[in-house]
Amino acid sequence: MDLTATTTIRRPAPEVYAFWRVLENLPTFMAHLEQVRATGEKTSHWSASAPFGTDVEWDAEIIHETPGERIEWRSTGEAAVPNAGAVRFVPAPDGVSTEVHVVLVYDIPGGAVGKAVAKYFGEEPHQQLDDDLRRLKQVLETGEVVRSDGAPWGKRARKEFPQRPAQPLSDVELEKGADA
Amino acid sequence: MRANTWAGRNKVEVRDVPDPKILNGRDVIVRITSTAICGSDLHLVDGYVPTMQDGDVLGHEFMGEVVEVGPDVAPDWLHVGDRVVVPFPISCGACAACSAELYSCCENSNPNAGIAEKMFGHPLAGIFGYSHLTGGFAGGQAQYARVPFADVGPLKIESDLTDEQVLFLSDILPTGYMGAEMCDIQPSDVVAVWGAGPVGQFAMDSARVLGAARVIAIDKEPYRLQMAEQAGHIPVNFDEVDVRSRLLELTGGRGPDKCIDAVGLEATHGSAHVAAYDRIKQAVRSETERPHALRQAIMSCRSGGVVSVVGVYGGLLDKFPAGAWMNRSLTLRTGQCHVQRYMKPLLERIERGEIDPTRIITHTLPLDEAPHGYEIFKNKQENCEKVVLKP
């Protein structure tokens, strides 16, 4: 499965690139990621969040990189869901913004993991990536992922629909957090 | 706290709900001292805006006192105890739209942007108490509200103006003003305003302060027309006269130079067969709008004129008079109000006495009587023009 998405962020390309290049930042806006940990200059260890299939972890390596412009990576070894990605950072015509163009490629396996992944992406898989990039834009332009009463847990917003009512959260809900 | 909530179609209910808390660093919490019922709240209650849920706290016109400030609010911007009016669009201040002062098109403030994008092609800003399509933010018909991006939106009131004088800076005064501003008014202009509700009244007053030669008010409620007439505008009752003929008469056959639609998607109409067509299509949800006012404005406007739309539309409409629009060189301008752009200049106009926003208030009720307020506002009972609620 190939997914593409793009957004424009009102920050200079080197800054957007630098944020993405710290791979630990990816889970702040990518819904399917629980954690990414750098294990070397070009290598990293990724783990998925529950809806994507629990216990899905893999190693990845950066295979091409042009600072400020482009990063390409792919999973390595025996990944349960072999995948690869590329992101380009292109200065926008307005002279202040950056176009972010992302391609993700998943080699979806059979079995339970494949089912979980297919279910996660649903009928319109590119929307997950669209939403990821919307949150990237929020983080870089405003400092954090925007929360509302209906969608209080940031990156789970789409999955939560229909949402909790647009009324303030109780202390109990707040304490339970995203797992409520 | 107590809050007025959506409880299904045609039903609002004041309930006990949790107090709001800071969720993002740039939030503040406001203790609300005055809030109002807006005509667009009626579209929600009438069920014409999708994605409402039982328990949603309503209200997007409110003001009050800051009682808690988030850790990331720009320092020296807002403090506990400050008195603020809160604009209805939630705007980040940093995206391309906000940078161009198109605050109601903010690209970041709506966590449900993906859903809005499906309906409208591109997303729109978050709005307080105005469906999940605009973010699922609890509204301001309540004792307290959480206000995100508090260093962009809220206007601090430092003079001793009353709540009633400044409350409408949150929405309807800027909305009416933007309706008039989009008309690019010249001193020779006759401006016709469809709808003598609160936004229409402020569009009329704004057209006057922007220098229009004459302002015409079109409605069918005698008390609303009388209110407009008392403010110096010319009333036209569409239940009593043919609007197009009357407008031609009032303009020497030219038609109004500028037309403002302050009605939107639930217009009523003198022409029974067209009204029935739209009502049926709207009832079976194959058309979301009853756009009589817009159609009539386009047909009435003089060639080369401007039709400015501040009445709310939510989806698709039928029988748009594209031929009149195109062949007669009409300019159609519209937008949800970019409130933040207008709050300060309009506050100054209020301070100078050029606009008196209090003239439209007919009812002041305790928050717990919100359902009654909705009832009389919707059904135009007790000569209701504008309800202010006191939490």
Side-chain angles (χ1 to χ4, degrees):
Chain A
M1 181 171 62
D2 289 22
L3 302 178
T4 61
T6 181
T7 190
T8 298
I9 297 175
R10 202 176 157 77
R11 308 297 309 173
E15 185 184 327
V16 183
Y17 163 87
F19 183 83
W20 194 296
R21 183 61 182 80
V22 179
L23 299 176
E24 280 86 350
N25 286 332
L26 300 184
T28 60
F29 63 92
M30 297 190 100
H32 71 291
L33 295 178
E34 181 72 40
Q35 198 187 43
V36 178
R37 186 164 43 82
T39 52
E41 176 90 353
K42 302 273 182 191
T43 55
S44 50
H45 184 76
W46 302 47
S47 61
S49 63
F52 196 65
T54 44
D55 304 326
V56 177
E57 300 194 15
W58 64 95
D59 289 311
E61 64 174 351
I62 290 174
I63 48 176
H64 292 294
E65 175 170 32
T66 311
E69 293 178 18
R70 184 182 183 87
I71 307 170
E72 276 178 59
W73 68 94
R74 69 174 173 213
S75 61
T76 56
E78 295 294 303
V81 186
N83 63 85
V87 56
R88 288 185 298 126
F89 307 93
V90 181
D94 68 358
V96 295
S97 303
T98 303
E99 295 175 4
V100 179
H101 299 269
V102 183
V103 182
L104 295 183
V105 180
Y106 292 95
D107 189 0
I108 298 179
V113 171
K115 270 191 187 157
V117 172
K119 189 177 170 210
Y120 169 78
F121 282 115
E123 286 174 9
E124 293 173 275
H126 67 92
Q127 283 196 348
Q128 296 291 351
L129 189 54
D130 287 345
D131 286 349
D132 287 346
L133 292 191
R134 253 191 267 282
R135 286 184 289 267
L136 170 67
K137 183 177 161 73
Q138 289 172 4
V139 170
L140 285 170
E141 290 184 343
T142 81
E144 57 185 329
V145 173
V146 178
R147 295 159 190 270
S148 71
D149 309 278
W153 312 124
K155 64 183 191 174
R156 301 200 335 171
R158 180 178 296 277
K159 199 170 62 63
E160 283 167 344
F161 225 82
Q163 306 182 321
R164 68 181 299 289
Q167 60 172 251
L169 285 86
S170 66
D171 292 332
V172 176
E173 279 176 292
L174 263 180
E175 213 166 281
K176 279 190 185 160
D179 299 326
Chain B
M1 66 168 184
R2 301 289 284 166
N4 186 42
T5 61
W6 194 84
R9 236 167 139 192
N10 292 319
K11 195 168 173 218
V12 299
E13 201 177 296
V14 180
R15 309 182 211 200
D16 289 313
V17 304
D19 289 344
K21 287 133 194 121
I22 304 276
L23 293 180
N24 280 115
R26 289 163 67 192
D27 296 348
V28 300
I29 306 293
V30 171
R31 182 182 63 81
I32 296 165
T33 52
S34 296
T35 176
I37 303 172
C38 180
S40 58
D41 291 329
L42 299 180
H43 303 319
L44 305 177
V45 172
D46 293 347
Y48 290 117
V49 177
T51 73
M52 291 299 293
Q53 289 184 217
D54 187 18
D56 286 354
V57 178
L58 293 164
H60 55 266
E61 300 179 0
F62 60 97
M63 64 178 295
E65 182 194 339
V66 174
V67 293
E68 197 182 341
V69 179
D72 302 328
V73 173
D76 298 326
W77 195 268
L78 280 182
H79 299 98
V80 169
D82 284 347
R83 185 171 173 233
V84 291
V85 181
V86 179
F88 78 81
I90 301 170
S91 312
C92 77
C95 66
C98 286
S99 302
E101 294 198 308
L102 298 166
Y103 296 100
S104 71
C105 301
C106 175
E107 296 159 18
N108 285 317
S109 63
N110 182 354
N112 298 329
I115 293 133
E117 194 175 70
K118 273 198 159 166
M119 263 192 91
F120 298 136
H122 291 275
L124 67 171
I127 298 177
F128 294 100
Y130 203 69
S131 86
H132 290 255
L133 196 63
T134 61
F137 289 93
Q141 286 163 12
Q143 290 180 295
Y144 295 88
R146 164 190 171 239
V147 177
F149 300 118
D151 41 10
V152 178
L155 175 73
K156 226 194 285 190
I157 304 294
E158 286 164 305
S159 55
D160 55 2
L161 296 171
T162 63
D163 277 17
E164 284 69 17
Q165 284 175 291
V166 294
L167 172 61
F168 302 140
L169 288 169
S170 57
D171 174 356
I172 53 172
L173 178 54
T175 296
Y177 184 86
M178 187 167 114
E181 191 196 59
M182 288 190 294
C183 289
D184 188 20
I185 290 170
Q186 307 299 311
S188 59
D189 278 351
V190 178
V191 178
V193 179
W194 273 256
V199 168
Q201 300 281 349
F202 287 150
M204 295 169 209
D205 291 356
S206 301
R208 190 197 60 224
V209 301
L210 290 171
R214 253 177 257 161
V215 180
I216 299 169
I218 303 159
D219 205 296
K220 73 177 169 94
E221 298 298 332
Y223 74 94
R224 294 188 165 189
L225 288 168
Q226 201 181 354
M227 186 178 268
E229 195 173 11
Q230 275 163 5
H233 313 304
I234 305 163
V236 171
N237 187 327
F238 70 76
D239 256 2
E240 291 169 359
V241 297
D242 176 69
V243 172
R244 189 169 169 278
S245 311
R246 181 73 183 128
L247 289 176
L248 290 175
E249 201 178 299
L250 286 169
T251 57
R254 301 185 306 275
D257 301 280
K258 308 289 161 64
C259 296
I260 300 174
D261 170 3
V263 177
L265 63 89
E266 292 185 70
T268 47
H269 193 269
S271 173
H273 63 283
V274 179
Y277 170 90
D278 286 307
R279 270 201 174 276
I280 290 163
K281 292 208 77 170
Q282 203 174 37
V284 301
R285 297 295 187 265
S286 73
E287 178 183 39
T288 52
E289 333 289 46
R290 302 198 304 260
H292 312 306
L294 179 57
R295 290 181 188 134
Q296 201 170 57
I298 291 173
M299 295 305 285
S300 304
C301 192
R302 69 125 161 115
S303 293
V306 176
V307 176
S308 163
V309 180
V310 287
V312 172
Y313 290 87
L316 306 171
L317 61 82
D318 284 6
K319 293 187 162 52
F320 176 79
W325 172 50
M326 187 271 158
N327 289 290
R328 297 199 300 103
S329 298
L330 299 179
T331 300
L332 194 56
R333 298 189 67 185
T334 186
Q336 283 280 8
C337 186
H338 308 296
V339 178
Q340 287 87 335
R341 202 201 278 175
Y342 301 104
M343 290 178 95
K344 210 155 184 191
L346 285 173
L347 174 64
E348 287 162 10
R349 284 190 191 271
I350 295 168
E351 283 168 342
R352 289 198 298 265
E354 293 171 24
I355 294 178
D356 172 19
T358 64
R359 76 172 182 85
I360 65 161
I361 301 171
T362 51
H363 292 75
T364 302
L365 301 172
L367 176 66
D368 275 335
E369 287 176 36
H372 175 65
Y374 273 74
E375 193 67 26
I376 58 172
F377 185 40
K378 176 181 169 158
N379 298 319
K380 304 182 179 75
Q381 295 159 347
E382 300 178 19
N383 288 348
C384 181
E385 178 81 7
K386 187 69 177 177
V387 180
V388 172
L389 299 170
K390 296 288 183 178

